[in-house]
Amino acid sequence: MLLSAFPQFDPQKTLHLAKLSVYPDRGYDISLVLEWSPGSPPQNATILPDYKGRVSLIDLGANGIAVQFRGIRKTDVQVTGGRVYFQFQQKGLQGPVMNIHIVEPLYNLKLTRKNSHGYVTLQWTAGFNLGLDTRQTAQYRKEGGEWVDGPGPDSSNHPQYTEIVQLPEKGTYNIRIRAANGIKPAAFSNVIRVTIEDAATLYGRLPITNKDYSDFLQTLISPSAVRLCTEVRSELDKVFNIIIGYEKSECDHFRKIGGSCTHTGDTVMVEFHIRVAESEIASASSSFLYSIKNERLGEFNIDKDRAGYLYNVKPKDPSSSTTEFLLFQIINLILLIKITLVVIIQQCCPEWTKVSTCGSAILTGVFSFSMLIAIYILSKSSKYNVLHLNS
């Protein structure tokens, strides 16, 4: 602080530097910081105990006298419920009020969300700045590159920030926050690291045993289906939101399944999918299995055995599996009929032995060909890629 800000300064009068604590809802408090007697060298100024070792007068020669502050504290720039200003005072004279502007380093910068389109959600706590408008700017760079300014939020005095920044392409970036106002130098946050990568689609099932199935669930746009899907997504979000690369969950299909020991009516199987960063597939699978280990998910009762794992390909339509099962049973029935007919013919009409032998060969050929087709169909339908985890 320069005395040049106090043009009425009279070196023949005692000079005081006063601290003014200003409050919006009441008067202000005045306390002295230093007192300087006329004709004394600046170093002989009387410093109040609270400021000993931190405040002094400096003779600048032709530029006059300056007050130097060291070890600035928050109480020097702000008080609870108000602000702090300083003022040069002489008997009958008062200089303009002045304040100290500081920008502390930012801290606690962290990444809370990312997606495959390059959007990252950042949270941080701004340093103290006395309420002076300070520009908080997210900066990013790839390894070995130059720092690039992101859009940054508008100037704000709020200490807690949440900002979404889009990074230009896939790859690994360093990110930091730069805070600057009219007082130099700028302050920087800690540096964090993030990798933008492709997302994977994982498929899963939720057998909900305390919900009754209704035909209204056959259409995903029906009010009943929309309501249930909203509830399911809400619970899945709670499961996967701990994963930074989690993007979304969606319901694909509702179908009817048999009841359980505690619920004998037809209940609901929810087939869903989620989007998550490829590097976090294992984390997503672990989170899902952990969330249903007690057979509960929010208000839902879950049959964890029928829920199974997360799949990285969409499971077959269950109606196809039913058809294939019926086909298999029909083939078995054909075999049984064939054996029965051959036995009857051989017992009742021995003279038809040649005919029965020929018929048997024909039936056996038909059966064998049908069995090969069934085995091929069933093998195709049962090979799901499941994300098994090492426990």
Side-chain angles (χ1 to χ4, degrees):
M1 294 181 178
L2 295 175
L3 277 174
S4 59
F6 184 23
Q8 300 90 355
F9 169 61
D10 186 347
Q12 303 304 316
K13 291 183 179 180
T14 299
L15 176 71
H16 295 102
L17 179 64
K19 175 183 176 181
L20 312 179
S21 300
V22 182
Y23 304 90
D25 56 347
R26 60 184 177 89
Y28 56 86
D29 300 332
I30 302 177
S31 57
L32 293 181
V33 176
L34 64 80
E35 180 181 305
W36 175 74
S37 299
S40 300
Q43 60 267 27
N44 289 346
T46 301
I47 311 294
L48 267 68
D50 287 347
Y51 293 90
K52 277 288 186 183
R54 299 197 303 118
V55 174
S56 60
L57 277 179
I58 299 176
D59 190 349
L60 300 178
N63 293 323
I65 298 175
V67 178
Q68 182 184 59
F69 279 83
R70 297 177 298 277
I72 298 295
R73 302 169 182 169
K74 287 189 177 181
T75 53
D76 296 325
V77 291
Q78 188 178 48
V79 291
T80 303
R83 296 186 179 184
V84 172
Y85 298 90
F86 292 87
Q87 184 181 53
F88 291 117
Q89 298 177 348
Q90 289 182 323
K91 188 175 181 180
L93 294 172
Q94 292 182 334
V97 294
M98 297 169 283
N99 52 16
I100 300 172
H101 299 310
I102 61 172
V103 179
E104 294 179 345
L106 296 82
Y107 57 96
N108 291 341
L109 173 63
K110 59 183 179 179
L111 175 72
T112 61
R113 183 73 62 227
K114 70 173 186 177
N115 67 27
S116 55
H117 301 293
Y119 288 97
V120 295
T121 303
L122 308 172
Q123 289 184 350
W124 71 92
T125 303
F128 179 70
N129 65 358
L130 189 63
L132 187 69
D133 280 346
T134 301
R135 182 74 175 177
Q136 310 275 336
T137 305
Q139 296 183 317
Y140 59 85
R141 70 176 181 185
K142 283 193 170 182
E143 294 292 340
E146 298 293 328
W147 288 104
V148 178
D149 287 348
D154 293 334
S155 299
S156 174
N157 297 324
H158 299 294
Q160 304 297 328
Y161 284 85
T162 298
E163 182 70 10
I164 298 176
V165 176
Q166 185 177 22
L167 301 174
E169 59 187 7
K170 290 182 172 59
T172 299
Y173 295 84
N174 290 329
I175 301 177
R176 70 182 183 184
I177 305 299
R178 179 182 184 271
N181 53 29
I183 307 301
K184 295 182 178 180
F188 295 93
S189 72
N190 55 300
V191 176
I192 60 174
R193 185 182 179 93
V194 59
T195 298
I196 302 301
E197 59 188 309
D198 290 329
T201 301
L202 305 181
Y203 299 90
R205 292 168 171 166
L206 279 178
I208 301 176
T209 60
N210 60 337
K211 286 281 186 180
D212 291 323
Y213 180 84
S214 74
D215 291 338
F216 294 110
L217 295 177
Q218 292 180 0
T219 305
L220 287 177
I221 60 174
S222 71
S224 298
V226 170
R227 182 167 54 252
L228 180 56
C229 188
T230 300
E231 294 173 359
V232 169
R233 282 202 309 264
S234 176
E235 294 302 330
L236 291 176
D237 284 345
K238 294 174 186 176
V239 172
F240 298 115
N241 268 335
I242 61 173
I243 300 172
I244 290 176
Y246 168 66
E247 296 185 7
K248 66 175 183 177
S249 62
E250 294 290 346
C251 300
D252 296 325
H253 184 68
F254 298 113
R255 62 183 173 90
K256 179 169 61 176
I257 57 175
S260 63
C261 296
T262 58
H263 192 101
T264 55
D266 291 327
T267 56
V268 181
M269 174 73 83
V270 182
E271 297 184 357
F272 67 91
H273 72 268
I274 69 167
R275 293 274 293 171
V276 67
E278 287 185 341
S279 63
E280 296 179 305
I281 290 176
S283 297
S285 300
S286 296
S287 296
F288 177 66
L289 292 179
Y290 181 81
S291 69
I292 61 172
K293 71 173 186 177
N294 294 323
E295 301 199 321
R296 291 282 293 178
L297 187 65
E299 297 299 317
F300 299 136
N301 293 338
I302 304 297
D303 184 341
K304 67 178 182 181
D305 294 328
R306 284 196 279 187
Y309 298 89
L310 291 181
Y311 301 82
N312 59 6
V313 296
K314 192 170 184 178
K316 293 278 288 185
D317 188 327
S319 62
S320 299
S321 298
T322 302
T323 303
E324 291 152 5
F325 176 76
L326 290 175
L327 176 62
F328 188 78
Q329 296 300 321
I330 290 171
I331 291 172
N332 285 335
L333 180 60
I334 291 173
L335 173 62
L336 180 61
I337 293 172
K338 172 254 185 182
I339 295 172
T340 304
L341 287 174
V342 170
V343 170
I344 292 174
I345 290 172
Q346 289 179 341
Q347 293 295 324
C348 298
C349 305
E351 66 278 8
W352 288 6
T353 300
K354 291 183 179 181
V355 176
S356 64
T357 301
C358 180
S360 176
I362 294 172
L363 287 175
T364 300
V366 172
F367 164 76
S368 299
F369 182 72
S370 301
M371 183 64 75
L372 287 174
I373 294 176
I375 291 173
Y376 174 77
I377 294 173
L378 293 174
S379 66
K380 285 292 185 181
S381 67
S382 61
K383 289 182 179 178
Y384 297 152
N385 292 322
V386 183
L387 301 170
H388 294 283
L389 302 172
N390 295 325
S391 54

